[in-house]
Amino acid sequence: MSSVDQYAVFGSPIQHSKSPRIHKLFAEQTGQALEYRAELVPAEQFTAAVKAFFAQGGRGLNCTVPLKELAWDYADKLTERAELSKAVNTLALQEDGSILGDNTDGIGLVTDLRLNHALSLKQKRILILGAGGASRGIIGPLLDQQPQLMTVANRTVEKAVVLAQEFAHKGSVSACGYDDLSGQSFDLILNATSASLSDELPPLVEGLLAEQGSCYDLAYANKATAFVRWGREQQAIKSLDGLGMLVEQAAEAFYLWRGVRPDTTQLIQLLEAERQGVG
Ligand code: NDP
């Protein structure tokens, strides 16, 4: 057992994860002694891998695709936002030995939009593309910002309908398929599909983005994603990707584990500068 506190991210695939780097830099910046590694863990090995990790002295875990629902099942206790989203991206060992499950994706996104990009969500019309695990995590925190309305559009419409029903008590949220979006326009369009990972776009009709509207792709890459490029073509005032969300959700997890808030601005600037050198 190592004397330094152990943290990790589990997922499959995992080789391109930026989380070990982000947490290492947070630890250096805040003077916290910890180690954080990435481990390839397919769904069928999840339970055994998590048990072994905590049995060997692990203090906290991040879980990414395809493990967030399994992590939700695994946790002994859940934060309110994790309970609602039915997906967990952060597990934390508690003093009594129990495991707390949280979902920091939504607050990470909202912080990036509001604080890093000065985008207010109040009374805005929001469209979310996709109804997978990421959408589950962001809908509640976005509705907390009191938008005028929210629409969730998905290829498999039934999944969007289920999500809209689950979150109906938090605000005005409806569901539809992509064809049903004709004639509507939105102030903020968030791409929470995984289409960008294969440089594809969901089937988007013309006129979806209102004047002065913004686009945000939860996915991130060294080059502009297909959806970020689409946003630019639609004259979005901002067309952003999910790098800032990634750093902000990591900062929330770090805070849950260590009780210390890292400076995210510095790190986002560093990662942006690095990818501009690459992209
Ligand atoms: P899931 O696999 O749970 O869901 C994928 C969603 O994408 C489904 O709604 C699916 O539709 C839809 N989809 C996939 N391909 C297409 C396509 N070609 N056209 C239209 N819809 C499509 O993935 P997640 O929700 O976990 O992740 C979604 C994205 O969010 C990923 O790119 C991920 O990297 C990103 N993400 C970023 C984070 C960050 O910190 N920046 C944090 C979490 C996620 P259907 O249901 O019909 O199959």
Side-chain angles (χ1 to χ4, degrees):
M1 203 180 288
S2 167
S3 58
V4 179
D5 289 349
Q6 298 293 310
Y7 296 85
V9 57
F10 285 1
S12 177
I14 202 67
Q15 66 273 23
H16 298 303
S17 173
K18 290 186 191 290
S19 293
R21 174 111 195 279
I22 291 172
H23 283 281
K24 183 170 182 279
L25 291 167
F26 281 164
E28 283 169 13
Q29 187 199 85
T30 57
Q32 297 281 306
L34 60 89
E35 286 174 0
Y36 186 110
R37 64 178 190 272
E39 239 179 78
L40 181 70
V41 176
E44 55 279 13
Q45 290 168 19
F46 177 74
T47 305
V50 179
K51 277 191 180 147
F53 176 78
F54 284 113
Q56 286 158 20
R59 299 290 298 270
L61 262 187
N62 283 135
C63 299
T64 185
V65 179
L67 308 173
K68 290 182 186 178
E69 283 85 359
L70 294 172
W72 188 82
D73 279 335
Y74 187 93
D76 300 312
K77 289 181 277 189
L78 294 163
T79 61
E80 196 185 331
R81 59 194 180 196
E83 172 99 55
L84 248 182
S85 68
K86 296 191 177 155
V88 154
N89 75 338
T90 306
L91 293 171
L93 179 68
Q94 304 295 282
E95 275 183 13
D96 63 2
S98 64
I99 305 294
L100 176 70
D102 194 6
N103 189 317
T104 65
D105 282 340
I107 187 69
L109 170 67
V110 169
T111 302
D112 193 40
L113 288 168
R114 292 184 61 221
L115 300 187
N116 300 336
H117 299 291
L119 285 171
S120 165
L121 305 172
K122 200 171 167 79
Q123 286 306 311
K124 294 288 160 47
R125 293 162 295 169
I126 299 179
L127 171 62
I128 297 182
L129 310 173
S135 296
R136 286 200 155 277
I138 65 174
I139 291 177
L142 286 169
L143 286 172
D144 288 340
Q145 297 300 310
Q146 301 176 315
Q148 186 187 114
L149 58 87
M150 176 187 284
T151 301
V152 182
N154 197 41
R155 199 169 52 178
T156 314
V157 183
E158 305 80 70
K159 281 169 66 180
V161 170
V162 168
L163 273 186
Q165 283 167 350
E166 283 180 25
F167 287 91
H169 66 286
K170 282 187 84 84
S172 168
V173 49
S174 59
C176 65
Y178 288 105
D179 291 346
D180 307 317
L181 290 170
S182 296
Q184 301 185 56
S185 69
F186 298 88
D187 305 304
L188 174 64
I189 305 180
L190 296 147
N191 181 26
T193 73
S194 46
S196 287
L197 301 178
S198 40
D199 209 31
E200 288 170 16
L201 268 182
L204 301 174
V205 294
E206 282 303 310
L208 265 187
L209 187 69
E211 246 179 72
Q212 303 291 309
S214 294
C215 290
Y216 192 105
D217 196 344
L218 271 62
Y220 51 87
N222 282 335
K223 290 188 176 147
T225 65
F227 183 72
V228 168
R229 299 198 303 272
W230 180 83
R232 289 176 187 160
E233 284 160 19
Q234 307 304 306
Q235 316 295 328
I237 51 165
K238 295 190 180 188
S239 192
L240 308 160
D241 79 3
L243 184 70
M245 173 182 173
L246 178 76
V247 174
E248 297 295 351
Q249 64 76 30
E252 289 294 331
F254 193 90
Y255 179 67
L256 181 75
W257 293 329
R258 310 297 299 184
V260 181
R261 234 171 236 294
D263 175 357
T264 52
T265 311
Q266 210 185 25
L267 185 47
I268 293 170
Q269 279 169 358
L270 174 77
L271 295 176
E272 283 288 3
E274 279 180 6
R275 72 173 173 178
Q276 274 166 27
V278 177

